[in-house]
Amino acid sequence: MRTLVIPVTLTAVSLASAGAAAAQQSSAIASNVPVTADIVAAITIRDTGSLNFGQIVAGSSGGTVTLTPLNTRSSIGGAKLANGIGTRAATFDVTGAEAGTFAITLPASPVKITSGANEMTVDTFVTPSPTLALVDGVKSFAVGASLTVAANQPSGHYAGTFDVTVAYD
Amino acid sequence: MKWRAVQLLLATMVLGAALIAREAGALADIGLATNGGLGFGQIIVTGTSGTVTVTTTGSRSASGGVALGNGFGVSPATFTVTGEADTAYGITLPSSVTLTGGQGSMVMDTFTSSPSGSGNLGPGRSQAVSVGATLHVGASQPPGSYSGTYAVTVAYN
């Protein structure tokens, strides 16, 4: 019986080359990733008329005069309404983004109006809507408030200033 | 005659084993899906140029003369990378992209990503990636909605 010797050569096969891994797809791209930004013009506000309570007669007891954003004036207590010439709510024009919305900030603390050494306070500032929408980049609004008249408030022309702020929201 | 046939059979078996071994070593294809785009939100021009940056975590800041408006749509771009488990990959970001609007254009650059530079798919075979960038706004940048597109690439190291 002959012994059969089978020469077998096993060839070492390198499975991975040094460097890039073997994969059908070793890189991937996300094309057309979107990016967006909205540019708007700065918002501006301009006052177009002062808040004016008109003529008031002080009484022997204190009272309050209220002026609404729609120019309606009323009084309670000792203060009485006299002529209403010049009575008007404060009005403002706002400009900005074509179609932006903005919030209105009114004074949170009472404002003093003075006539020489005499003073009265104005507070409870109101406007119909705390936020408004600009239309074609413009919008107007009005502000009313309440005036506290002391008993026997000395006569005179009383004046003061207050701040209104608008900001995009 | 018989011996030659056996030699041929053995040679074929060796070659076959090598081929099978090579298949088993291949990596799963890497994939990249976009989940959401990059948004800078509303920006207010004030007459002085400036920049707005959105980070990979979605926080927005302004420098120079521009002011931030409402934050609707502020977001980093988000992606999901998939592929072979526990495998590292590199992330390639653009250097500069132009956004265009009704009457103007703006440049966006200084791209950032999280992970930064490279990531690893981990045992879950996937990883979330987010991308931020910086937008350059001109002093008199015309108002409007601006948009653009760009590409992000991932590749096994």
Side-chain angles (χ1 to χ4, degrees), chain A:
Chain A
M1 180 109 102
R2 263 197 321 180
T3 310
L4 187 60
V5 176
I6 304 165
V8 176
T9 311
L10 280 171
T11 310
V13 178
S14 63
L15 298 176
S17 48
Q24 198 79 353
Q25 187 177 317
S26 61
S27 72
I29 185 167
S31 310
N32 302 316
V33 182
V35 53
T36 57
D38 286 316
I39 296 293
V40 296
I43 195 166
T44 69
I45 181 171
R46 184 171 62 96
D47 87 75
T48 53
S50 304
L51 178 59
N52 189 336
F53 286 92
Q55 195 179 69
I56 298 154
V57 179
S60 54
S61 61
T64 305
V65 175
T66 297
L67 182 57
T68 72
L70 297 176
N71 298 319
T72 306
R73 197 171 61 142
S74 60
S75 67
I76 55 170
K80 301 296 176 198
L81 302 181
N83 81 55
I85 296 168
T87 298
R88 71 188 302 285
T91 52
F92 305 87
D93 282 348
V94 179
T95 68
E98 286 286 299
T101 59
F102 61 92
I104 301 164
T105 302
L106 300 176
S109 308
V111 168
K112 277 203 183 106
I113 56 173
T114 61
S115 171
N118 302 312
E119 63 185 45
M120 291 189 280
T121 55
V122 177
D123 58 14
T124 320
F125 288 84
V126 293
T127 189
S129 176
T131 64
L132 290 171
L134 291 154
V135 177
D136 290 334
V138 297
K139 189 69 178 176
S140 300
F141 66 94
V143 173
S146 294
L147 173 69
T148 302
V149 182
N152 305 309
Q153 184 78 41
S155 51
H157 176 79
Y158 290 73
T161 63
F162 65 99
D163 294 338
V164 172
T165 306
V166 291
Y168 287 123
D169 75 344

Side-chain angles (χ1 to χ4, degrees), chain A residues 5-11 13-15 19 21-42 168-169, chain B residues 3 10 14 18 21-22 26-27 29-30 32 34 37-38 40-45 70 143-156:
Chain A
V5 176
I6 304 165
V8 176
T9 311
L10 280 171
T11 310
V13 178
S14 63
L15 298 176
Q24 198 79 353
Q25 187 177 317
S26 61
S27 72
I29 185 167
S31 310
N32 302 316
V33 182
V35 53
T36 57
D38 286 316
I39 296 293
V40 296
Y168 287 123
D169 75 344
Chain B
W3 165 225
L10 284 169
V14 168
R22 186 180 285 278
L27 299 184
D29 290 348
I30 193 167
L32 177 61
T34 304
L38 177 55
F40 285 88
Q42 187 187 62
I43 297 161
I44 304 165
V45 288
N70 74 52
S145 291
Y146 288 70
S147 63
T149 62
Y150 58 95
V152 171
T153 307
V154 292
Y156 286 130

Side-chain angles (χ1 to χ4, degrees), chain B residues 3-108:
Chain B
W3 165 225
R4 195 142 292 206
V6 172
Q7 273 184 317
L8 194 59
L9 176 63
L10 284 169
T12 309
M13 285 165 62
V14 168
L15 182 61
L19 280 174
I20 290 162
R22 186 180 285 278
E23 293 277 348
L27 299 184
D29 290 348
I30 193 167
L32 177 61
T34 304
N35 301 321
L38 177 55
F40 285 88
Q42 187 187 62
I43 297 161
I44 304 165
V45 288
T46 63
T48 305
S49 65
T51 66
V52 176
T53 297
V54 171
T55 69
T56 57
T57 55
S59 62
R60 184 175 65 150
S61 61
S63 78
V66 292
L68 299 179
N70 74 52
F72 297 137
V74 171
S75 176
T78 55
F79 308 85
T80 302
V81 184
T82 54
E84 186 72 25
D86 299 311
T87 304
Y89 63 92
I91 303 165
T92 303
L93 302 173
S95 57
S96 165
V97 174
T98 300
L99 281 72
T100 55
Q103 285 155 14
S105 65
M106 293 185 283
V107 169
M108 174 174 71

